[in-house]
Amino acid sequence: MINLIQNIRAKIETGARISDDEALDLFACDDLLAVGELAALANHQLNGDKVYFNVNRHINYTNICVNRCTFCAFSRENEEDEGGYTLALNEILERAAEAQDAGATEIHMVGGLHPDLPFDFYLEIMAAIKADSPGLHIKAFTAVEIDYFATLTEQSPQQVIEELKAAGLDSMPGGGAEIFAPEVRQKICPEKISGERWLEVTEQVHRAGLKTNATMLFGHVESYADRVDHLSKLRQLQDRTGGFQAFIPLAFQPDNTRVPGGKGVGGVDALKTLAISRLYLDNFRHIKAYWVMLGMKVSQVALAFGVNDIDGTVVEEQIGHDAGADSPQQLSKEQLVGLIHKADKQPVERDTLYNEIKTY
Ligand code: V47
Ligand code: SF4
């Protein structure tokens, strides 16, 4: 164990890459603080003491979804199901305008794969938000939606991406990645596009000039080897495109879900996973703690475990809260700044593309 930590330290200090086997050994390592210290060192080399946050608003336009992933407590089969909804264009615009008035720089917009909404609806949303609230960066959809729109319109993903870009899409979040391994996907999201397809579509998005994030849903039925495989595929894609901005490990919330044996994530596993992500993904500049899923306390401690981004104000979150997340619905800018300061770090408000807006 001592050898493992010493070897990884030497690699971090010389900028050498850690191997898949070393990443697996780190997952098996009981010395959480040693792993965290290495991740903090790697992060410090990249980002110093800065911790980024942004002022944003999530909008989930519909929870009607043809996929019905077993880990998802948010989705409904149709509008008649209890809690099923689809927002009208004017409701989406109201939320975006409220966000802009509250100082937001970003709209984060994703939703279910609705069986009846036409592709034009999404183009209309993009164009209307841009016309109404031109200051907002629209970060929306994932490789899963792009593939769905391509099927819907009988076009290639490239054509769909170009149309969305022309209508106002500025970048994409990192959802839908889950765990790439096919055996795991079979259990948690059998109807969703394969991991291979997620990577392929994301590569096309990067080639079209849009930045995206990447996520990993962990703490359900996957093994450590599945996590390392997931990280490895992301590192390889990032080597080819450089299009990823942040990596966001999403801690599985088990309430109201249908994952057989899915149990959720403890603090130790969450911190170790964030730290190993920082160590392994040497070509990702940012590792983000998504406080909605991790909770406020683990997110704050994560800042000493290699994390340099703590997401945003969020305002209205459904996906995690429907699955039992006990975090607040939103945080104010002051709460985020306070949380970062108390971890002895430098809070920096950023825009979606990591341009610095203000240092606190
Ligand atoms: O793809 C669904 C996950 C994702 C559950 O890119 C769940 O900046 C935990 O991708 N427990 C959507 N997670 C959220 C997402 C995201 C969030 C914040 C920032 C960014 C970004 C992206 O939420 C889904 C899925 O992986 N999810 N159900 C659940 N029960
Ligand atoms: Fe649909 Fe996304 Fe939920 Fe899966 S995670 S059921 S694709 S909304």
Side-chain angles (χ1 to χ4, degrees):
M1 211 56 91
I2 294 171
N3 267 351
L4 171 72
I5 297 296
Q6 278 171 352
N7 291 346
I8 306 275
R9 181 181 294 281
K11 284 195 160 182
I12 300 300
E13 282 169 353
T14 57
R17 198 157 247 204
I18 73 169
S19 69
D20 292 8
D21 284 345
E22 284 169 328
L24 257 184
D25 289 345
L26 286 170
F27 273 113
C29 172
D30 288 333
D31 195 343
L32 173 68
L33 294 183
V35 178
E37 197 196 345
L38 289 177
L41 173 68
N43 173 48
H44 199 265
Q45 287 175 350
L46 285 167
N47 298 301
D49 283 330
K50 287 178 184 176
V51 171
Y52 294 100
F53 68 94
N54 73 352
V55 180
N56 67 351
R57 175 156 187 169
H58 284 221
I59 301 177
N60 301 125
Y61 42 84
T62 184
N63 63 351
I64 310 300
C65 186
V66 298
N67 269 359
R68 312 303 320 282
C69 305
T70 61
F71 61 77
C72 179
F74 163 72
S75 70
R76 299 288 186 278
E77 193 150 342
N78 53 51
E79 319 268 346
E80 284 70 52
D81 269 11
E82 202 190 327
Y85 74 88
T86 300
L87 297 180
L89 181 61
N90 68 313
E91 294 174 296
I92 297 172
L93 291 179
E94 255 168 48
R95 283 164 166 78
E98 268 172 31
Q100 180 162 271
D101 292 346
T105 55
E106 171 191 286
I107 289 295
H108 175 139
M109 193 162 59
V110 290
L113 307 182
H114 196 290
D116 305 321
L117 287 174
F119 182 49
D120 281 349
F121 175 70
Y122 305 96
L123 295 174
E124 216 178 312
I125 299 176
M126 302 283 103
I129 293 179
K130 280 289 172 193
D132 239 41
S133 308
L136 288 173
H137 176 113
I138 305 179
K139 182 178 85 175
F141 313 125
T142 70
V144 177
E145 284 99 316
I146 299 295
D147 177 82
Y148 185 65
F149 299 154
T151 308
L152 214 61
T153 56
E154 297 180 354
Q155 297 188 94
S156 67
Q158 285 97 328
Q159 286 168 311
V160 165
I161 296 160
E162 287 309 326
E163 285 189 47
L164 288 169
K165 253 177 78 176
L169 180 67
D170 294 305
S171 72
M172 278 174 38
E178 322 313 354
I179 284 279
F180 294 137
E183 322 77 67
V184 175
R185 271 183 124 69
Q186 192 52 41
K187 292 189 189 132
I188 63 166
C189 51
E191 305 299 328
K192 193 169 256 173
I193 56 169
S194 67
E196 215 176 306
R197 181 69 172 158
W198 188 96
L199 290 158
E200 191 179 291
V201 172
T202 299
E203 179 154 4
Q204 289 164 358
V205 174
H206 292 171
R207 303 241 176 256
L210 295 185
K211 296 287 184 193
T212 78
N213 292 329
T215 57
M216 172 174 77
L217 180 68
F218 71 102
H220 37 88
V221 299
E222 86 290 0
S223 64
Y224 289 151
D226 294 325
R227 294 186 196 177
V228 174
D229 170 71
H230 189 91
L231 294 174
S232 165
K233 297 209 157 79
L234 289 174
R235 192 167 75 174
Q236 289 170 43
L237 178 53
Q238 179 74 329
D239 275 344
R240 292 201 296 279
T241 67
F244 288 119
Q245 298 203 107
F247 177 65
I248 310 139
L250 295 170
F252 173 56
Q253 311 292 311
D255 291 2
N256 309 316
T257 64
R258 292 161 286 114
V259 177
K263 40 199 182 309
V265 178
V268 170
D269 191 18
L271 290 171
K272 206 194 267 185
T273 304
L274 287 157
I276 295 169
S277 306
R278 174 62 290 157
L279 290 166
Y280 184 89
L281 294 175
D282 56 355
N283 52 4
F284 278 65
R285 175 81 187 265
H286 308 288
I287 303 293
K288 195 194 274 191
Y290 185 43
W291 54 261
V292 168
M293 307 293 186
L294 291 172
M296 306 312 304
K297 291 177 182 170
V298 171
S299 297
Q300 190 182 37
V301 176
L303 303 182
F305 283 72
V307 163
N308 73 303
D309 189 334
I310 196 143
D311 207 72
T313 46
V314 177
V315 180
E316 192 181 14
E317 200 283 334
Q318 267 145 321
I319 299 171
H321 287 98
D322 284 351
D326 59 6
S327 51
Q329 272 291 338
Q330 63 174 306
L331 292 179
S332 66
K333 196 195 283 201
E334 291 67 34
Q335 283 172 306
L336 285 165
V337 167
L339 181 152
I340 298 166
H341 264 150
K342 284 183 193 140
D344 216 12
K345 299 279 183 179
Q346 176 74 70
V348 180
E349 184 184 344
R350 63 166 175 89
D351 67 12
T352 309
L353 300 175
Y354 289 82
N355 298 303
E356 296 186 3
I357 295 173
K358 187 171 172 190
T359 298
Y360 292 82

